[in-house]
Amino acid sequence: MISDTLVLDPKDNLAVALKDLPVGEKRDVLGQEVVLVEKISQKHKFALVDFATGDLATMYGVVVGKATQPIAKGALISTHNLTHETSQYQINAKEISWSPPDISKFESRTWKGYHRKDGQVGTANHWLVIPLVFCENRNINVLKETLLEQLGYAVQRDFRFDISTLIEAYQRGASADELTTSTVIQTADQIRQSRPFPNVDGIKFLNHDGGCGCTRQDSATLCSLLAGYITHPNCAGATILSLGCQNAQIADLKSAIEKRSPGFDRSVLYYEQQGDWTEREFLEEAVKGTFAGLMDANKYKREPAPLSALSLGLECGGSDGFSGLSANPALGYTSDLLVALGGKTLLAEFPELNGVEQELIHRCKDQSAAEKFSNLMESYNARAHADGSGFENNPSPGNIRDGLITDAIKSAGAAKKGGTSPVVEVLDYAEPANKPGLSLLCTPGGDVESTTGLAGSGANVIVFTTGLGTPTGNAVAPLLKMSTNTDLFNRMRDIIDINAGTIITGEDTIETKGEELLELIIKTASGEFTPAAVRLGQDDFIPWKRGISL
């Protein structure tokens, strides 16, 4: 019989309810009898000891909170009796001893990707259209309306209605009865086959609200982020629209591209509106140039690539009390598999690593990485406090409602996405991931700002775990969503790709689900599986602005 309670570490004094537990029932937890003095809802925690005010609560073997009042053994842990608390940590990288998982099932495997001359391999083949400043968003939208529909990229459903045959029949004088025999439905396969550029997976438009009116630092960061997208393995080229007078200048973007990829040889087309032409001429040139660029992009074809060419972004959002028990550790096992195979993985969302700093520092390969991680965490939290907030305010109302009542509880579960492998480098926002292995990437905890940063640092596929559900996607990297519980998977199958709730019910282990996830990543990277976010056209892109507006 599967237990309905779980203790994650022998040092823990909190347990998790795997289903609703009624008041008055007894449970044997780690060899001790616990009588539930309150109803404990599924995903929530209850006390294994009597707490006095000020006592520390532990989960996952780390401090996750402090009692604000006495808590009886068997009582519900909530925001009314527990507040955020973490342990102090020291910046002391240690010698790492890591036992990689068994990769025999995957050692000889390949996937089919788009090979770039710089050695990168894309899981998709996109053309980008980017404004250097928000003033160009309207013109970007004109290009979007012009290109997507006519080139066959506007469809986000399994079919569309094409009424051109009805129009032609009407113009020939057909009767209403004759029109009923016409076929007006085109399937997604038919639309793709009719595209003039079948090897181009999409034209992606990266509208944003930056580029001017911000600090020079935010402008420089934006250019670095955009350079990450332009040089991304999933992108064949880009069209850039500039106004001319903004902070983010074309020269700055070119410099950021050269810094990231010296001698970059993919096509990047620059158009500046304040040049010597009318708006009509400006947009006409951009349309013609983009069309010519698509002709070149269409020359790329999928070819076999090793699994070491995958760069996996590790993300969670809409988390619940099961996130750290099912989906996150399963994704962590997938991360370990990919690292053992020579690939790259990136763990982001620094506000959701608060409380597990010591564990991650001890996994850093060298002292400089440990120091950089600590400095980024401390400066980020200090800026948050300067704005009247802090990491302790990270959990959302949905997180709290589903059992993640402190940031430390949320962080301890979120960090499980990074598996157990050594940390090879620590990256600030928009810095590229250059080393095989697990990297820590400084991003906000906000879903889209974080996934935007993951792709900007080179992730060519992203896995997003969720316990509450979200339609989040990314503009260039295919994003797979994995549910933490089966109820969510059944309710939101239109936006969820894989279910880790079977770990909770005992049908799967963390290891078997992690291997299943890697299989799905390989199919996605090869273009054989289309994630829901891609199918629905969820092309989210929100750059992180750290500074104020000027």
Side-chain angles (χ1 to χ4, degrees), residues 185-398:
I185 288 183
Q186 278 190 313
T187 66
D189 285 341
Q190 289 173 324
I191 295 162
R192 281 191 289 269
Q193 290 168 7
S194 67
R195 289 175 181 171
F197 305 116
N199 294 330
V200 178
D201 295 307
I203 308 171
K204 303 297 181 176
F205 299 80
L206 306 187
N207 294 52
H208 59 82
D209 65 356
C212 200
C214 54
T215 64
R216 293 295 191 271
Q217 292 88 343
D218 269 343
S219 174
T221 299
L222 176 65
C223 286
S224 181
L225 177 70
L226 295 179
Y229 275 70
I230 292 165
T231 62
H232 194 280
N234 291 4
C235 300
T239 299
I240 312 298
L241 298 192
S242 167
L243 181 60
C245 59
Q246 72 276 352
N247 287 341
Q249 291 285 300
I250 287 176
D252 298 327
L253 179 59
K254 287 182 176 180
S255 176
I257 292 172
E258 181 63 21
K259 180 180 179 181
R260 186 175 291 254
S261 181
F264 184 69
D265 64 349
R266 281 173 253 164
S267 181
V268 185
L269 313 174
Y270 298 94
Y271 300 94
E272 192 152 275
Q273 189 170 6
Q274 289 173 345
D276 189 21
W277 45 24
T278 65
E279 182 180 84
R280 176 178 174 177
E281 293 168 337
F282 170 67
L283 290 173
E284 183 181 14
E285 288 301 310
V287 168
K288 291 189 292 186
T290 300
F291 193 91
L294 290 166
M295 293 169 61
D296 285 336
N298 194 53
K299 295 175 183 177
Y300 287 99
K301 296 182 179 179
R302 290 187 182 272
E303 297 176 356
L307 296 187
S308 59
L310 290 173
S311 182
L312 175 63
L314 313 170
E315 180 72 19
C316 63
S319 300
D320 71 347
F322 284 165
S323 291
L325 282 60
S326 60
N328 287 352
L331 176 53
Y333 188 75
T334 303
S335 174
D336 285 346
L337 287 170
L338 194 55
V339 168
L341 289 161
K344 300 173 187 173
T345 65
L346 294 88
L347 178 62
E349 300 180 288
F350 272 27
E352 297 176 14
L353 300 179
N354 184 218
V356 292
E357 293 95 339
Q358 193 67 73
E359 176 197 339
L360 292 170
I361 284 171
H362 285 167
R363 288 167 60 185
C364 286
K365 275 205 160 184
D366 54 58
Q367 186 70 13
S368 63
E371 291 174 355
K372 185 174 182 180
F373 174 58
S374 175
N375 291 338
L376 285 170
M377 288 291 286
E378 290 178 5
S379 63
Y380 192 164
N381 200 16
R383 287 198 306 272
H385 279 288
D387 286 339
S389 189
F391 286 166
E392 65 272 14
N393 299 120
N394 176 265
S396 69

Side-chain angles (χ1 to χ4, degrees), residues 178 245 273 361 461 466 471 534 543:
E178 291 171 323
C245 59
Q273 189 170 6
I361 284 171
V461 64
T466 182
V534 176

Side-chain angles (χ1 to χ4, degrees), residues 78-132:
S78 72
T79 54
H80 299 296
N81 57 27
L82 196 77
T83 190
H84 174 78
E85 185 69 29
T86 62
S87 297
Q88 296 296 312
Y89 60 88
Q90 296 179 328
I91 310 171
N92 55 342
K94 292 187 174 181
E95 185 174 343
I96 301 167
S97 176
W98 182 56
S99 299
D102 180 7
I103 56 172
S104 57
K105 293 181 182 179
F106 298 96
E107 279 185 296
S108 61
R109 298 286 297 279
T110 61
W111 58 284
K112 291 184 179 180
Y114 297 98
H115 292 251
R116 312 300 181 187
K117 290 183 180 179
D118 59 7
Q120 296 188 95
V121 186
T123 61
N125 189 36
H126 297 307
W127 186 273
L128 302 182
V129 183
I130 304 173
L132 260 182

